[in-house]
Amino acid sequence: MSKDIRIKKGLDLKLKGEAAHKIADTTRSKVYAVKPSDFHGVNPKMVVKEGDNVKAGEVIFYSKADEKVKFVAPVSGKIQEIKRGEKRVILEILIAADSQDVFVEHSKKNPNDLSTEEVKAHLLASGCWPFINQRPYDVIANSADTPKAIFISAHATAPLAADVEFVLANKLEAFQVGIDALTKLTSGKVHLSVKGKGKSIFSDVKGVSLHQVYGPHPAGNVGVQIAKISPINAGERVWTVTPQDVAIIGELFLTGKFNATRTVALAGSEVKDAQYYNVISGAAVSDLVAGKIEGDNVRVISGDVLTGAKVNMDGNLGFYSNTVTVIPEGNVYRMFGWMPFASPSVHSASRTGLSWLMPGKKYAPNTNLNGEERALVVTGEMEAVMPLDIFPMQLLKACLASDIDKMESLGIYEVAPEDFALIDYTNTSKLEAQQIIREALDLMIKEVG
């Protein structure tokens, strides 16, 4: 039985530069990158060396902690360079791409005819397993576990995030097959959450428990949906997958190929004609944004403005990136910027500007933090944007103190860094809440497991 999800706490940030509903192909990059840092907690063990030729979907490294979890090349070509940092940490594997991909051929399979172990083995061998994340801890799922449920959020509420229903409108067959595969992996249900207003293209998807979501961001965060549908108790595991990754899993079963192509929203106030592009994971940023942005004093973000990461123009897109946002750099100062109500063009969640009088207005924020880190003060602003049933400030303090007992009692198992993204944006203390939560989760993995 489905359960509607309605939340009131949160904040919809209305930004300029929403991607128009049209899709184009991008120029094929000469060099693609696979970055182990995209897979949090994975310590890679290389199986290729510089100069080796690889096919698209061929294993290039695996996780030292779980050798069955493999990571594959998104394109065919030659391993151009394995970039290393301090203490020989692998930063990037650069692949000089062929003009046309040659794929590793896996057999076509119908997941409905397979056992749980056979589906797992197919996903692990093909390199699709890293699409499956685990809660608690927000890391790649342990292939030895059986989750109590799997959650998929098809309603993206983050600012300028890609419209899931538009992106997957022509991939519903692959999406259904991906769902069929995921149902084999859990003893419980596969929960699919869609936007509450209007008819969803996912209404006819079989094998899922469908939920309609209402409310402001972060209603689309899968962590919020887990908390409302089936909260995680001690010792339990749930898995999460993004809708585009479900379709890639489905395409693997339909075609026998690992196809790392995804549809990315290029959005933001500095994009000339914001729209969607078909891009292979790890493509060069310059090939996506060249000729499409205004000026050069901009920041390119792989992801949305709340949770994404800065990428350089000579860098590459991340493994999971479905949105690329371009906004102005904040390396400028506003005259009398400290004065309330002096800048009507600046959005304010605390009513120190006039934006609350214009709820429909769209803004073009830059990267300026408008202040430096300050002491934590009880104002209620964190609770106003936190729909989870937790005390966010108390949890952050417990995390800063590395107090594991308090972290557990205050709900650390229920959260992921993205759940604190709005707190990063609204809190006047300017602390890096997402980073604090990430470090606390890493401590829990180390001390509790």
Side-chain angles (χ1 to χ4, degrees):
M1 181 178 177
S2 66
K3 177 181 179 181
D4 287 352
I5 300 168
R6 298 176 185 272
I7 70 167
K8 294 182 178 178
K9 292 182 177 180
L11 177 66
D12 280 331
L13 286 175
K14 295 180 173 61
L15 305 185
K16 293 180 179 177
E18 184 177 358
H21 280 189
K22 52 185 180 180
I23 302 176
D25 293 326
T26 55
T27 305
R28 184 175 172 83
S29 297
K30 292 182 178 178
V31 178
Y32 288 77
V34 179
K35 295 178 277 191
S37 58
D38 286 342
F39 315 104
H40 188 80
V42 169
N43 191 5
K45 176 67 176 178
M46 297 299 301
V47 298
V48 296
K49 60 182 183 299
E50 292 180 2
D52 284 355
N53 290 313
V54 293
K55 294 180 180 179
E58 186 170 336
V59 177
I60 56 176
F61 66 86
Y62 59 83
S63 169
K64 285 183 180 179
D66 185 354
E67 295 184 4
K68 290 185 290 186
V69 179
K70 299 177 174 65
F71 302 84
V72 300
V75 294
S76 64
K78 179 178 287 188
I79 302 296
Q80 177 176 293
E81 184 181 1
I82 300 174
K83 283 190 175 180
R84 294 179 182 272
E86 293 182 1
K87 299 182 180 179
R88 293 184 58 74
V89 170
I90 298 172
L91 303 177
E92 290 182 320
I93 298 101
L94 301 180
I95 304 171
D98 294 335
S99 58
Q100 194 167 1
D101 283 330
V102 178
F103 288 88
V104 173
E105 296 288 344
H106 301 277
S107 56
K108 300 177 184 178
K109 298 176 187 289
N110 182 348
N112 292 318
D113 298 333
L114 303 178
S115 67
T116 297
E117 293 307 315
E118 288 172 329
V119 170
K120 276 189 179 181
H122 198 44
L123 294 175
L124 288 163
S126 63
C128 280
W129 193 263
F131 291 133
I132 304 173
N133 263 30
Q134 168 195 294
R135 299 288 180 97
Y137 301 145
D138 194 28
V139 293
I140 292 175
N142 184 342
S143 60
D145 288 340
T146 300
K148 74 165 186 174
I150 297 177
F151 290 82
I152 303 159
S153 175
H155 180 34
T157 53
L160 303 179
D163 183 336
V164 177
E165 300 213 0
F166 171 72
V167 167
L168 292 181
N170 296 319
K171 298 180 180 178
L172 287 179
E173 183 187 7
F175 186 81
Q176 177 64 67
V177 176
I179 293 291
D180 294 342
L182 293 176
T183 56
K184 294 282 185 174
L185 302 180
T186 175
S187 56
K189 296 179 179 178
V190 174
H191 297 277
L192 175 63
S193 300
V194 300
K195 63 183 177 183
K197 295 180 180 177
K199 181 176 172 58
S200 169
I201 65 168
F202 299 111
S203 299
D204 297 326
V205 172
K206 298 178 177 60
V208 298
S209 181
L210 198 68
H211 307 275
Q212 292 185 309
V213 180
Y214 301 85
H217 184 65
N221 281 10
V222 71
V224 174
Q225 295 159 15
I226 292 170
K228 298 294 183 184
I229 297 168
S230 179
I232 304 170
N233 298 313
E236 292 180 336
R237 298 282 187 272
V238 302
W239 290 354
T240 67
V241 191
T242 68
Q244 284 216 55
D245 296 339
V246 174
I248 293 175
I249 290 172
E251 191 172 350
L252 167 73
F253 282 88
L254 287 171
T255 66
K257 297 175 182 175
F258 175 89
N259 186 352
T261 303
R262 57 179 67 234
T263 304
V264 172
L266 177 59
S269 60
E270 303 310 291
V271 179
K272 291 178 182 174
D273 295 304
Q275 65 169 90
Y276 292 79
Y277 293 89
N278 291 324
V279 182
I280 298 175
S281 291
V285 170
S286 57
D287 289 326
L288 176 62
V289 305
K292 304 183 184 78
I293 58 178
E294 306 276 1
D296 54 5
N297 189 33
V298 298
R299 180 172 297 188
V300 181
I301 300 168
S302 180
D304 63 73
V305 293
L306 295 176
T307 61
K310 177 184 177 181
V311 289
N312 296 324
M313 292 295 286
D314 59 351
N316 296 77
L317 298 181
F319 181 78
Y320 298 103
S321 183
N322 294 323
T323 301
V324 173
T325 313
V326 187
I327 61 175
E329 272 291 357
N331 52 0
V332 293
Y333 293 93
R334 287 184 288 122
M335 182 173 290
F336 304 117
W338 49 270
M339 183 182 297
F341 311 111
S343 302
S345 62
V346 177
H347 176 262
S348 171
S350 57
R351 295 196 174 190
T352 54
L354 298 175
S355 59
W356 62 279
L357 294 173
M358 299 168 281
K361 183 178 179 179
K362 293 185 176 181
Y363 295 86
N366 60 30
T367 61
N368 199 328
L369 293 178
N370 296 311
E372 59 187 6
E373 192 168 316
R374 306 156 189 151
L376 281 168
V377 179
V378 178
T379 60
E381 58 190 7
M382 290 188 183
E383 289 76 7
V385 295
M386 172 56 73
L388 296 176
D389 188 18
I390 62 171
F391 297 107
M393 180 179 287
Q394 287 82 350
L395 176 57
L396 286 170
K397 288 182 176 179
C399 294
L400 287 168
S402 300
D403 188 330
I404 290 176
D405 289 339
K406 281 192 175 179
M407 282 193 281
E408 287 182 321
S409 63
L410 289 167
I412 187 68
Y413 294 123
E414 292 189 53
V415 303
E418 67 174 9
D419 298 322
F420 282 72
L422 277 175
I423 288 177
D424 269 350
Y425 176 76
T426 60
N427 86 91
T428 50
S429 66
K430 306 294 181 184
L431 54 75
E432 299 286 350
Q434 293 184 83
Q435 183 180 341
I436 293 169
I437 293 296
R438 181 68 268 170
E439 291 174 355
L441 291 172
D442 290 343
L443 177 65
M444 297 296 294
I445 294 172
K446 180 181 178 182
E447 299 294 334
V448 181

